């Protein structure tokens, strides 16, 4: 049994990690996690280079985290339903 809320939290805080936890789309989850680490580095560089753009970057990552968290949550519920 997968814990949907854990899957959501993992994917929200580190994109793709909830998918790795679920085990259905591990390659996708690993690639999302690597991409999230790289994108976080870029976001931190953007914060100092162009502070006016940082709120847009932060908001887009927040929305992406919510969307991927919901996807991982739904996937975990589907796994448990089988």
């Amino acid at each position: 049994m997968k814990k949907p809320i854990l899957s959501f939290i993992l994917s929200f805080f580190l994109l793709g990690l909830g998918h790795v936890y679920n085990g259905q789309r591990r390659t996708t989850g690993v690639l999302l996690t690597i991409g999230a680490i790289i994108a976080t580095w870029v976001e931190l560089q953007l914060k100092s280079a162009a502070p006016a753009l940082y709120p847009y970057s932060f908001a887009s990552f927040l929305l992406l985290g919510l969307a991927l968290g919901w996807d991982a949550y739904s996937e975990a519920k589907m796994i448990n339903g089988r």
Side-chain angles (χ1 to χ4, degrees):
M1 294 285 294
K2 299 294 179 182
K3 296 179 181 173
I5 194 70
L6 177 60
S7 187
F8 177 88
I9 291 169
L10 289 172
S11 268
F12 179 76
F13 285 107
L14 192 54
L15 306 178
L17 201 56
H19 295 87
V20 173
Y21 166 75
N22 287 339
Q24 294 291 312
R25 298 180 282 172
R26 284 193 179 151
T27 304
T28 301
V30 168
L31 292 174
L32 281 169
T33 303
I34 292 168
I37 292 168
I38 293 168
T40 300
W41 180 81
V42 170
E43 183 181 24
L44 292 174
Q45 299 305 312
L46 180 67
K47 186 176 181 179
S48 61
L53 295 176
Y54 180 74
Y56 299 108
S57 176
F58 181 82
S60 66
F61 273 102
L62 179 66
L63 292 175
L64 185 60
L66 288 171
L68 288 173
W70 181 258
D71 183 53
Y73 176 86
S74 301
E75 184 177 69
K77 289 199 61 114
M78 181 190 70
I79 292 167
N80 291 340
R82 288 188 197 160

